[in-house]
Amino acid sequence: MEKLEAHQKGLLHRAFSVFVTNAKGELLLQQRALDKYHSGGLWTNTCCSHPLPDEDVLTASHRRLMEEMGFDCELKEVFSFTYRAEFTNGLTEYEYDHVLIGQFDGEVRPDPAEVMSCKFASPDEIRYLMLTAPETFTHWFHIAFPKMAAFIER
């Protein structure tokens, strides 16, 4: 089914979250466009979305990274998790989320329909922001980032 229908019915479905770092070990964050159907204006990982029917997660991750952020890079899946979050607009995310990591140091060209802003930030800066302003981050980022930080800080 379409992702919006899955979110309306609160059904478990596949998703992915891409975390891209630079050579300094900083994570590329994106601030979701305000008119996204949920979590608009919140900060999150570099790219996240859903595979198309019969599309594998790695292919989908490369496709959406290019569509959302205007670049592509080598990606590797590092873990997955399941979570459920209900939003005030009646939608529910109930996702089996594959988490991938990559590195990129080139030009980022985000699609303004998807991304309001983006920036590189160190894991320590992100931890501080998550402690002082947790409401400015997406629900899934609060789950994925602490696990992902171990991979970023290696």
Side-chain angles (χ1 to χ4, degrees):
M1 70 181 54
E2 294 293 321
K3 68 179 178 181
L4 184 57
E5 183 181 0
H7 289 154
Q8 290 168 333
K9 294 180 177 180
L11 299 175
L12 181 63
H13 59 281
R14 297 181 308 152
F16 58 87
S17 296
V18 176
F19 286 70
V20 174
T21 62
N22 62 17
K24 298 178 191 175
E26 298 169 321
L27 176 62
L28 179 57
L29 298 173
Q30 73 151 275
Q31 186 178 25
R32 291 168 59 88
L34 288 175
D35 60 352
K36 297 289 281 185
Y37 63 97
H38 69 76
S39 306
L42 299 183
W43 287 96
T44 197
N45 48 286
T46 310
C47 170
C48 37
S49 191
H50 305 81
L52 298 172
D54 300 320
E55 183 180 36
D56 67 83
V57 170
L58 188 58
T59 300
S61 297
H62 286 289
R63 175 180 54 80
R64 287 301 295 166
L65 186 56
M66 182 59 81
E67 291 171 357
E68 285 187 25
M69 302 304 287
F71 71 89
D72 195 12
C73 65
E74 185 176 329
L75 297 171
K76 174 184 169 185
E77 185 171 345
V78 289
F79 66 90
S80 59
F81 67 98
T82 302
Y83 78 100
R84 184 178 174 90
E86 295 182 12
F87 299 101
T88 56
N89 64 1
L91 298 179
T92 300
E93 282 209 326
Y94 183 25
E95 298 187 338
Y96 181 75
D97 195 1
H98 300 265
V99 181
L100 301 98
I101 191 168
Q103 185 176 331
F104 183 74
D105 287 293
E107 182 182 357
V108 179
R109 297 176 308 277
D111 177 354
E114 300 282 345
V115 180
M116 187 164 64
S117 183
C118 64
K119 66 179 179 179
F120 280 98
S122 72
D124 285 342
E125 180 183 356
I126 295 167
R127 284 185 194 95
Y128 176 78
L129 293 170
M130 290 176 72
L131 284 173
T132 58
E135 73 284 356
T136 65
F137 289 89
T138 61
H139 181 83
W140 63 90
F141 190 78
H142 282 278
I143 299 168
F145 175 73
K147 296 176 185 179
M148 181 53 77
F151 292 95
I152 294 170
E153 294 174 320
R154 286 185 176 171

